[in-house]
Amino acid sequence: EFRYMDGLKGFVDGGLNDWGFMHAVAGIVTQGCHSPPCMEGAEFNGVERKAIFVKTLKLFGLVVNDKAATGRRLEGENEIAEDVIV
């Protein structure tokens, strides 16, 4: 069961590096579920979403653990981001 507020608190308390939380939120926004891809044939570019999320956090002046922001496979993703350009 996904609980947004619990996930948000864990994300913030954990130093802004729980990419599973970002993946779940992006899935809710784009496909209506917290575990994308949610629909048959739906595409979900987690690597691109992750890069945008990191960029947004930095625009808010938040410090993002660059090691956690790059080169990590998201659960269910087929690609690995070698570098996130922000």
Side-chain angles (χ1 to χ4, degrees):
E1 181 174 299
F2 180 78
R3 294 183 180 201
Y4 176 80
M5 291 305 292
D6 292 342
L8 177 61
K9 184 178 183 327
F11 179 73
V12 172
D13 290 349
L16 309 179
N17 62 14
D18 177 2
W19 302 112
F21 172 73
M22 180 278 312
H23 188 68
V25 171
I28 291 168
V29 171
T30 61
Q31 298 181 21
C33 81
H34 68 276
S35 185
C38 307
M39 300 172 263
E40 187 175 326
E43 292 185 25
F44 185 81
N45 186 339
V47 173
E48 181 181 353
R49 292 267 175 204
K50 185 177 182 181
I52 293 168
F53 193 75
V54 168
K55 183 176 183 178
T56 303
L57 291 175
K58 288 184 176 184
L59 287 172
F60 280 114
L62 300 171
V63 176
V64 179
N65 178 344
D66 287 332
K67 183 175 180 183
T70 61
R72 301 243 333 248
R73 183 183 302 266
L74 293 175
E75 184 177 328
E77 284 299 312
N78 294 323
E79 300 179 51
I80 297 176
E82 291 183 15
D83 197 13
V84 175
I85 301 171
V86 291

